[in-house]
Amino acid sequence: MSATRHFVLAAGGTGGHMVPAAALAAELRRRGHSVALVSDARGVRFPGLFEDIQTHIVPAGRLAGGPMGWARAGAAMLAGRRMAINLFKVQRPDAVIGFGGYPALPALLGAFARGIPTAVHEQNAVLGRVNRLVAAKVSAIATSYPDVARLAPRHRGKAHLVGNPVREAVRRLREQPYPLLEGDGIFRVLVTGGSQGASILSQVVPDGLALLPINYRRRLQVTQQARVEDIDAVRAKYAEHQIPAELATYLPDMPEQLAWAHLVIARAGASTLAELTCAGRPAILVPLPGATDDHQTANAREMTQAGGARTIQQPNFTAVELAKQMQKLGLDPAALENAAGRARTCGRPNATRDLADLVESLGAPASILPVGAARPAKFGDQAAYA
């Protein structure tokens, strides 16, 4: 066990940033360190993630809206930087770790001003805007994929492939077998649009499932996350099609839902992909077309090429196409289990451990590092995750 140190995690207000930050926070605390969170008002409201961790809200603008919007964003960033500098004068963190999103930027700028060691974690297969902005100044860049677009060649020497941390309850699913699927047994489908929901899934999935052959359709048991404004219409569609379905606007028990799911229909967000590959669950992925730099399509590529998923671009995501892909994946239980195994090969279950090792190494004298601690693999080193 290393000596107790203090770390500040800075994360934006979406689940894709907050979930891996929460996983790292839990691991660092398990190792005896203290942790604080810097975020925006959205981030601190995520249920069950940082409820017992000291949190600080700093202003952070978003570079949008033309010159006036940029000016407002710049003023907010400078105010957030001043707040972070003052906070770090008091807390004196050993390192500041950014998880992307504009709310992470003021904390990182404050850390640069104070000479505090820094790192960023990139959840997606494309380096995000904030992480690109700070890549030259941070001490280390932790990546989730072996190939990350928009990562400048001059910065690859500081990149470490660690994966995307998931909650411990999800990591434990890797130790369980794929749920038994008998030829005429219940076929459980989980539909999720991530922390923001996805109206396209609500519009297409019920009708797509209704097009399946009747002997297949009668086996279905669906759990679907839907937006508040969509949920009543989705419930009515499933009732019309006589397909058993449980609906919710938020799924707090996602590890339990994944545990029994035979197939997942989802967006291709970073946290979703990390959980699917860690647990080993086959999927039909519908990347968000408006995602910055089309990063969801890039996220889906590894799992799809491995044979663990099928990707349908949103313009092609129709009820007919979904039914066709469902039958290709689900009519043969052996083929579905094989796809689950292929999805599993893309998982990096030690991501939380390896990221924590990297964080502990920042600016630390060798004498207080864990004895025998393995260093995270360098960029592109797949052997460490075999």
Side-chain angles (χ1 to χ4, degrees):
M1 176 69 71
S2 63
T4 298
R5 303 168 72 199
H6 179 58
F7 297 99
V8 170
L9 310 185
T14 68
H17 302 307
M18 303 302 291
V19 169
L24 176 63
E27 175 64 13
L28 290 173
R29 295 180 73 193
R30 188 191 68 78
R31 298 184 182 197
H33 304 301
S34 63
V35 177
L37 170 73
V38 171
S39 188
D40 61 358
R42 291 181 305 156
V44 299
R45 287 199 297 263
F46 267 80
L49 292 184
F50 289 93
E51 292 175 349
D52 58 345
I53 288 178
Q54 186 183 68
T55 59
H56 304 273
I57 298 175
V58 299
R62 181 177 178 84
L63 298 177
M68 291 297 293
W70 301 336
R72 287 192 295 268
M77 290 291 180
L78 289 175
R81 176 181 177 274
R82 287 194 297 270
M83 290 179 63
I85 289 172
N86 291 332
L87 174 65
F88 298 159
K89 286 180 181 178
V90 175
Q91 291 208 350
R92 300 177 64 187
D94 291 274
V96 175
I97 316 303
F99 284 83
Y102 287 106
L105 186 54
L108 290 167
L109 294 176
F112 297 154
R114 295 282 299 170
I116 300 168
T118 55
V120 292
H121 178 267
E122 179 55 61
Q123 300 89 47
N124 294 300
V126 180
L127 198 67
R129 289 177 179 174
V130 167
N131 286 347
R132 293 202 298 268
L133 282 172
V134 301
K137 297 199 70 173
V138 297
S139 310
I141 301 170
T143 69
S144 301
Y145 292 87
D147 295 307
V148 179
R150 306 297 293 272
L151 176 63
R154 66 184 181 276
H155 298 146
R156 293 189 178 184
K158 64 173 76 174
H160 302 257
L161 174 61
V162 300
N164 195 4
V166 298
R167 290 165 286 185
E168 178 60 21
V170 173
R171 195 198 64 77
R172 287 198 297 267
L173 294 179
R174 195 173 180 85
E175 302 165 4
Q176 302 177 17
Y178 179 73
L180 179 65
L181 179 61
E182 299 178 351
D184 57 353
I186 294 175
F187 187 85
R188 299 184 178 91
V189 179
L190 173 62
V191 186
T192 174
S195 62
Q196 306 298 309
S199 290
I200 188 67
L201 300 183
S202 296
Q203 295 163 11
V204 172
V205 173
D207 291 338
L209 298 183
L211 293 178
L212 295 171
I214 189 168
N215 62 322
Y216 190 12
R217 189 169 71 244
R218 284 176 174 171
R219 297 167 51 205
L220 294 174
Q221 173 64 57
V222 180
T223 297
Q224 181 161 347
Q225 176 208 12
R227 293 185 181 217
V228 173
E229 62 268 28
D230 298 332
I231 196 166
D232 289 338
V234 178
R235 185 175 287 112
K237 278 190 175 183
Y238 278 121
E240 176 187 348
H241 299 318
Q242 298 183 332
I243 296 175
E246 296 181 5
L247 302 174
T249 58
Y250 179 69
L251 298 174
D253 57 341
M254 184 59 75
E256 182 180 342
Q257 299 292 345
L258 276 174
W260 58 253
H262 295 110
L263 176 69
V264 180
I265 303 172
R267 286 295 197 196
S271 289
T272 298
L273 269 294
E275 292 180 344
L276 290 174
T277 56
C278 186
R281 293 296 182 271
I284 293 174
L285 302 173
V286 186
L288 175 67
T292 305
D293 297 318
D294 198 21
H295 67 255
Q296 289 205 2
T297 296
N299 291 349
R301 191 168 295 124
E302 181 184 34
M303 186 177 175
T304 301
Q305 290 178 347
R310 291 173 181 265
T311 296
I312 307 174
Q313 295 298 332
Q314 185 162 309
N316 303 322
F317 186 60
T318 64
V320 171
E321 182 63 20
L322 174 61
K324 181 171 70 175
Q325 297 300 335
M326 285 279 295
Q327 290 183 77
K328 288 181 178 179
L329 267 175
L331 285 179
D332 182 358
L336 197 64
E337 188 168 358
N338 179 61
R342 291 175 178 270
R344 194 175 185 276
T345 64
C346 299
R348 296 180 175 89
N350 298 323
T352 304
R353 181 202 69 190
D354 291 345
L355 181 57
D357 285 350
L358 177 62
V359 168
E360 283 186 326
S361 75
L362 295 175
S367 60
I368 72 168
L369 288 175
V371 175
R375 286 288 175 263
K378 292 298 291 181
F379 187 86
D381 183 359
Q382 295 271 29
Y385 302 95

